[in-house]
């Protein structure tokens, strides 16, 4: 979740044009946003399968985030 109460995930990863293109292709602009201040992406809940295909460690990340919120 985030500080606005939205269900979803924060993603931070080393710059990769390929991963960014995949993210933008898989997740519509209405379901993602870039936070310039924190240098991370917000992705709304419901795109877990897509994120797991892009990021091999997504399920571990999602598990850790659920424990934080």
């Amino acid at each position: 979740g985030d500080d606005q109460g939205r269900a979803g995930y924060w993603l931070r990863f080393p710059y990769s044009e390929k991963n960014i293109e995949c993210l933008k292709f898989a997740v519509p602009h209405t379901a993602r946003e870039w936070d310039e201040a924190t240098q991370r992406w917000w992705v709304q809940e419901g795109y877990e399968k897509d994120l797991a295909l892009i990021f091999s460690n997504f399920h571990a990340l999602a598990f850790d985030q659920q424990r934080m919120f």
Side-chain angles (χ1 to χ4, degrees), residues 8-27:
Y9 305 93
W10 284 110
L11 305 173
R12 181 180 288 141
F13 51 91
Y15 180 80
S16 164
E17 190 171 331
K18 178 184 172 194
N19 284 350
I20 293 170
E21 290 296 320
C22 289
L23 177 67
K24 289 180 176 181
F25 180 78
V27 181

Side-chain angles (χ1 to χ4, degrees), residues 8-13 15-16 19-21 23-24 27 29 32-36 38-44 51 55 65:
Y9 305 93
W10 284 110
L11 305 173
R12 181 180 288 141
F13 51 91
Y15 180 80
S16 164
N19 284 350
I20 293 170
E21 290 296 320
L23 177 67
K24 289 180 176 181
V27 181
H29 74 279
R32 62 175 156 78
E33 75 182 51
W34 171 247
D35 185 328
E36 182 71 32
T38 61
Q39 300 284 296
R40 59 188 181 166
W41 288 91
W42 166 257
V43 177
Q44 161 182 320
L51 294 172
F55 304 102
Q65 284 194 29

